[in-house]
């Protein structure tokens, strides 16, 4: 089971590194991509409870380490999202990519709004930045729809490759 966690963590680390580089280049245009639900969705849908929570906690700590939010914010939000996805996973077809993308899409909106509420203290501080927040969310959701199938296929392939290797040896 440690292999599941390592494989999942390294795929999440790859996603985090790619997003960091993309956000670095988008900073010139004052844009930010937020696709945090990709760190949570497949681990909640596919992995056993213990492995999934461990992978989600590691992803939350990874995102907390490089974010200007109080430490533990991403970890808490990711864990709550993981728990909510686990509650609904028995009633949905989790093997289908379209279902996974839809869950990631909805979870990303929820995570974005939760993080915005945590960071913005009052309504007077929200109004000047509201257009940018909406623009960032729309672009993030579009990019999430584009890269989610690739990332889920990468994680699924890595996990099935590890399972094949474990059965073979």
């Amino acid at each position: 089971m440690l292999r599941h966690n390592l494989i999942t963590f390294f795929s999440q680390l790859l996603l985090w590194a790619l997003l960091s580089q993309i956000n670095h280049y988008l900073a010139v245009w004052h844009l930010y991509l937020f696709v945090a639900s990709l760190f949570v969705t497949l681990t909640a849908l596919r992995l056993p409870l213990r492995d999934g929570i461990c992978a989600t906690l590691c992803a939350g700590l990874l995102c907390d380490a490089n974010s200007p939010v109080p430490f533990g914010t991403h970890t808490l939000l990711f864990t709550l999202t993981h728990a909510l996805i686990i509650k609904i996973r028995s009633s949905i077809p989790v093997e289908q990519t379209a279902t996974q993308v839809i869950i990631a899409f909805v979870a990303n909106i929820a995570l974005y709004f939760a993080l915005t509420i945590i960071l913005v203290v009052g309504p007077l501080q929200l109004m000047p930045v509201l257009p940018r927040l909406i623009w960032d969310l729309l672009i993030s959701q579009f990019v999430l729809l584009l890269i989610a199938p690739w990332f889920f296929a990468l994680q699924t392939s890595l996990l099935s490759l590890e399972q094949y290797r474990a059965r073979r040896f």
Side-chain angles (χ1 to χ4, degrees):
M1 296 308 157
L2 179 62
R3 290 183 187 144
H4 284 113
N5 291 336
L6 287 176
I7 288 171
T8 304
F9 178 72
F10 284 123
S11 65
Q12 291 170 340
L13 184 64
L14 173 68
L15 176 68
W16 175 79
L18 290 172
L19 285 174
S20 296
Q21 286 300 310
I22 291 169
N23 282 327
H24 174 74
Y25 290 116
L26 289 177
V28 175
W29 294 291
H30 304 285
L31 295 174
Y32 182 77
L33 289 181
F34 183 82
V35 290
S37 67
L38 292 179
F39 291 102
V40 179
T41 305
L42 200 70
T43 59
L45 291 175
R46 290 282 182 93
L47 293 180
L49 180 63
R50 184 176 175 188
D51 292 340
I53 289 288
C54 183
T56 299
L57 289 173
C58 289
L61 292 173
L62 177 68
C63 291
D64 277 334
N66 196 30
S67 296
V69 296
F71 192 74
T73 303
H74 284 96
T75 306
L76 177 66
L77 291 175
F78 285 6
T79 306
L80 290 173
T81 305
H82 186 97
L84 290 173
I85 292 173
I86 282 185
K87 283 293 253 190
I88 65 167
R89 103 174 151 181
S90 63
S91 62
I92 54 173
V94 296
E95 303 297 326
Q96 297 177 358
T97 305
T99 304
Q100 295 168 359
V101 172
I102 290 169
I103 291 171
F105 188 84
V106 172
N108 202 56
I109 292 172
L111 285 168
Y112 188 82
F113 283 133
L115 198 59
T116 301
I117 290 169
I118 290 171
L119 293 177
V120 177
V121 178
L124 295 177
Q125 294 178 350
L126 180 63
M127 294 314 277
V129 295
L130 190 60
R132 172 162 179 221
L133 291 174
I134 293 171
W135 186 246
D136 283 349
L137 178 63
L138 291 174
I139 291 174
S140 296
Q141 293 299 95
F142 178 73
V143 170
L144 182 122
L145 288 175
L146 290 177
I147 67 171
W150 165 80
F151 186 66
F152 293 152
L154 173 71
Q155 280 189 319
T156 303
S157 297
L158 289 174
L159 288 171
S160 63
L161 182 66
E162 187 274 327
Q163 288 173 352
Y164 172 75
R165 189 177 107 33
R167 276 187 271 138
R168 189 164 179 222
F169 294 107

